[in-house]
């Protein structure tokens, strides 16, 4: 392991990271995780850059969780330079867990899951850099990199569903709730467009500047990119402790300090937001109980209010201690997909999601993160994220919210736009005219 201080390198940490990301993009696979030094309960992601695929998960549909378990076990017992696995789990893995299907439009063609064991790991710990690699000269290679300054060019995002249809669907979902089919359902819509020119590093830095969050990440898998400003943790494992932190409840930020405080207070005291959050807390408690030691599931914090650059969020923290006969992959499998992105009861609302949403979610509302050996992992919820297929020149992002019987369709639509504000702003900076029909 190589350990150096940034003052010794003669450039700032941020300048070095930019060079390292550009070098990483020369490889077929890389993943960058950044906590942005946000003060967050149980901390955010490790600040780490994983570069190159020493080995990749080769999985077949219908056995992904078993294949992931085998892959993880193989890495932790091999002589590779590290025992990390990095990647993502797509929402439609629900079809492996339950008897469900997904037949909606898929514009990007992301595989259901992708993981790799990196060839190189760069850990950023304050002003210290630690490099894990069997290759010599990595530091010098990165320092010699010339940073690419080209701008991306993206067309204006188009909605997959009209506003009128969105409002109608919210009303229909409220009818399902009234009829007793479910209590709460997370309904989402997609926006999509074309990529004329792509600089993923520049896009990530722009999004992270607009919306720095504790579970930010940039991932590349061949032609597929994930650019995420996620504020939400799906699940973290530290030793035998599991931590889940669902978000339910949103208010926009205001530049006026008094108004901003009013919005924050309004969120904390809103009975509807509390009811939504409580439903998901109960769902998460039940999910964690499936793999927990008896009596170990605890609600550590309920209705916590946390402020991010674009929004105030209501976040609760639930913890558990896993049973001795349960491994890391099974903990994830038994709780996937996360309740904050489905609703309750989980199976029924996933059927309704398939019916009323008109696009596949793909990696959206799945989870991106890493296994640090078999004893720890950390995964976000893939929201506030841009997904790009460089080969086809297409991008998409999705946004949604929890629908309850008390939901007002127009306000739900407005909340979607608030949550997507950072990505809309990002694309506006890179925007070019849409291609003519048929081109």
């Amino acid at each position: 392991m190589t350990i150096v201080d940034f003052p010794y390198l003669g450039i700032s940490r941020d300048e070095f990271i930019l060079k390292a990301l550009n070098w990483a993009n020369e490889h077929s696979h890389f993943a960058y995780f950044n906590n942005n030094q946000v003060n967050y309960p149980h901390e955010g992601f490790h600040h780490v850059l994983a570069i190159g695929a020493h080995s990749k998960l080769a999985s077949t549909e219908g056995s992904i969780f078993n294949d992931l378990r085998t892959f993880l076990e193989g890495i932790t017992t091999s002589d590779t330079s590290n025992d990390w696995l990095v990647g993502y789990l797509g929402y439609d893995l629900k079809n492996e867990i339950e008897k469900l299907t997904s037949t909606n439009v898929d514009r990007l063609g992301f595989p259901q899951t992708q993981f790799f064991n990196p060839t190189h790991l760069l850990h950023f710990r304050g002003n210290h850099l630690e490099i894990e690699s069997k290759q010599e000269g990595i530091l010098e290679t990165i320092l010699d990199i010339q940073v690419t300054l080209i701008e991306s060019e993206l067309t204006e995002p188009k909605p997959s569903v009209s506003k009128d249809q969105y409002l109608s669907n919210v009303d229909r979902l409220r009818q399902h709730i009234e009829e007793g089919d479910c209590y709460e359902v997370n309904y989402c819509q997609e926006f999509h467009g074309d990529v004329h020119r792509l600089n993923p590093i520049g896009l990530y830095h722009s999004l992270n500047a607009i919306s720095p969050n504790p579970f930010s990440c940039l991932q590349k898998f061949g032609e597929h990119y994930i650019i995420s400003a996620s504020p939400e943790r799906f699940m973290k494992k530290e030793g035998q402790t599991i931590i889940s932190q669902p978000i339910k409840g949103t208010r926009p930020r205001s530049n006026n300090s008094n108004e901003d405080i009013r919005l924050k207070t309004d969120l904390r005291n809103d009975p509807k937001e509390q009811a939504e959050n409580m439903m998901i807390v109960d769902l998460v408690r039940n999910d964690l109980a499936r793999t927990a030691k008896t009596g170990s599931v605890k609600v550590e914090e309920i209705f916590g209010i946390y402020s991010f650059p674009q929004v105030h969020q209501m976040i609760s923290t639930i913890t558990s201690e896993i049973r001795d006969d349960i491994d890391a992959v099974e903990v994830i499998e038994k709780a996937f997909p996360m309740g904050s992105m489905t609703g309750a009861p989980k199976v029924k609302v996933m059927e309704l999601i398939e019916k009323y949403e008109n696009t596949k979610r793909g990696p959206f509302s799945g989870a991106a993160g890493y296994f640090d050996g078999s004893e720890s992992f950390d995964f976000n919820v893939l929201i506030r994220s841009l997904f790009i297929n460089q080969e086809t020149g297409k991008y998409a992002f999705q946004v949604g919210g929890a629908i309850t019987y008390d939901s007002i369709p127009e306000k739900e639509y407005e909340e979607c736009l608030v949550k997507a504000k950072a990505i809309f702003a990002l694309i506006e900076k890179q925007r070019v005219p849409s291609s003519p029909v048929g081109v």
Side-chain angles (χ1 to χ4, degrees):
M1 178 180 291
T2 302
I3 303 176
V4 295
D5 292 333
F6 284 103
Y8 169 79
L9 295 178
I11 62 173
S12 71
R13 187 186 71 165
D14 289 346
E15 290 174 312
F16 180 85
I17 290 173
L18 191 57
K19 284 177 173 285
L21 286 171
N22 276 267
W23 181 62
N25 200 35
E26 296 176 2
H27 298 72
S28 64
H29 292 65
F30 79 85
Y32 177 56
F33 301 97
N34 185 1
N35 58 39
N36 284 293
Q37 297 179 302
V38 174
N39 184 20
Y40 201 86
H42 297 282
E43 303 181 332
F45 275 152
H46 289 311
H47 193 181
V48 61
L49 173 58
I51 305 172
H54 179 269
S55 57
K56 294 177 284 187
L57 173 63
S59 188
T60 56
E61 194 167 321
S63 64
I64 288 176
F65 285 104
N66 285 334
D67 294 341
L68 179 59
R69 180 180 292 106
T70 300
F71 191 35
L72 179 60
E73 290 172 351
I75 294 300
T76 55
T77 58
S78 71
D79 61 351
T80 59
S81 61
N82 63 79
D83 57 0
W84 282 58
L85 287 187
V86 297
Y88 70 87
L89 299 157
Y91 170 80
D92 285 320
L93 287 175
K94 65 181 175 57
N95 301 336
E96 287 199 7
I97 299 169
E98 306 291 348
K99 294 180 180 179
L100 298 168
T101 58
S102 300
T103 59
N104 287 330
V105 172
D106 180 2
R107 288 191 172 86
L108 297 183
F110 273 67
Q112 286 193 20
T113 191
Q114 298 191 76
F115 278 89
F116 64 95
N117 170 233
T119 307
H120 320 288
L121 278 173
L122 278 63
H123 301 273
F124 302 98
R125 309 186 196 278
N127 279 324
H128 299 285
L129 168 67
E130 298 179 9
I131 300 176
E132 287 187 71
S133 176
K134 292 185 175 181
Q135 180 178 322
E136 299 292 332
I138 288 177
L139 188 59
E140 292 75 15
T141 298
I142 293 173
L143 290 172
D144 287 341
I145 288 290
Q146 298 300 309
V147 173
T148 303
L149 297 175
I150 66 167
E151 292 289 332
S152 296
E153 294 181 351
L154 283 67
T155 62
E156 183 177 2
K158 301 175 182 177
S160 63
V161 59
S162 69
K163 180 178 178 180
D164 286 346
Q165 187 61 56
Y166 175 92
L167 299 178
S168 174
N169 286 346
V170 172
D171 269 332
R172 294 168 74 181
L173 289 167
R174 288 180 64 251
Q175 290 173 17
H176 281 285
I177 295 169
E178 185 177 22
E179 292 164 5
D181 293 332
C182 59
Y183 309 107
E184 177 182 320
V185 55
N186 190 283
Y187 171 53
C188 300
Q189 59 177 315
E190 181 185 83
F191 294 86
H192 58 93
D194 299 325
V195 180
H196 290 184
R197 186 167 62 181
L198 178 64
N199 178 359
I201 312 304
L203 280 177
Y204 170 78
H205 273 280
S206 294
L207 179 60
N208 199 53
I210 296 168
S211 187
N213 281 303
F215 303 104
S216 161
C217 70
L218 169 62
Q219 297 190 334
K220 176 185 180 182
F221 306 88
E223 300 299 324
H224 294 113
Y225 286 91
I226 296 173
I227 302 171
S228 179
S230 175
E232 183 173 359
R233 167 177 279 135
F234 165 43
M235 192 179 288
K236 179 179 186 178
K237 180 176 184 287
E238 293 181 318
Q240 295 300 102
T241 301
I242 301 298
I243 302 146
S244 186
Q245 295 172 298
I247 291 178
K248 270 290 166 280
T250 304
R251 287 292 185 279
R253 298 297 304 269
S254 174
N255 292 328
N256 181 292
S257 59
N258 290 332
E259 175 65 8
D260 197 55
I261 292 170
R262 187 197 68 77
L263 288 164
K264 186 175 181 179
T265 303
D266 181 62
L267 173 60
R268 177 63 181 86
N269 297 320
D270 189 323
K272 175 182 174 293
E273 303 284 19
Q274 291 181 354
E276 288 181 12
N277 195 286
M278 180 59 77
M279 286 184 201
I280 300 307
V281 167
D282 285 343
L283 180 57
V284 171
R285 289 173 64 242
N286 289 334
D287 284 344
L288 295 188
R290 301 175 69 186
T291 57
K293 293 179 179 178
T294 302
S296 70
V297 179
K298 308 290 184 185
V299 179
E300 186 174 283
E301 182 182 29
I302 191 77
F303 308 151
I305 305 299
Y306 294 86
S307 298
F308 301 96
Q310 309 296 324
V311 293
H312 300 294
Q313 303 272 205
M314 183 180 286
I315 306 174
S316 294
T317 297
I318 305 98
T319 64
S320 69
E321 298 295 317
I322 65 172
R323 300 199 311 266
D324 295 337
D325 60 326
I326 299 294
D327 62 39
V329 174
E330 188 170 359
V331 174
I332 295 172
E333 183 179 5
K334 288 294 194 292
F336 194 86
M338 60 290 301
S340 64
M341 295 306 298
T342 59
K346 190 180 281 190
V347 174
K348 179 59 180 180
V349 295
M350 288 193 290
E351 292 172 350
L352 293 174
I353 286 168
E354 180 69 20
K355 179 178 179 179
Y356 288 102
E357 293 182 10
N358 62 2
T359 55
K360 279 191 177 181
R361 291 190 176 183
F364 169 73
S365 75
Y370 50 82
F371 293 90
D372 179 5
S374 61
E375 293 303 314
S376 62
F377 62 69
D378 205 356
F379 284 86
N380 70 11
V381 179
L382 271 174
I383 54 176
R384 323 288 163 86
S385 302
L386 182 66
F387 305 95
I388 296 172
N389 185 326
Q390 187 174 26
E391 184 175 18
T392 62
K394 302 293 182 182
Y395 78 80
F397 62 95
Q398 298 189 44
V399 64
I403 308 304
T404 65
Y405 181 72
D406 294 328
S407 291
I408 300 171
E410 189 73 35
K411 287 189 175 181
E412 294 295 341
Y413 187 81
E414 291 171 0
E415 183 177 310
C416 285
L417 299 184
V418 167
K419 291 175 178 176
K421 183 178 179 181
I423 295 182
F424 279 124
L426 171 70
I427 294 172
E428 181 61 29
K429 290 183 178 181
Q430 328 283 333
R431 190 163 66 85
V432 296
S434 298
S435 301
V437 175
V439 174

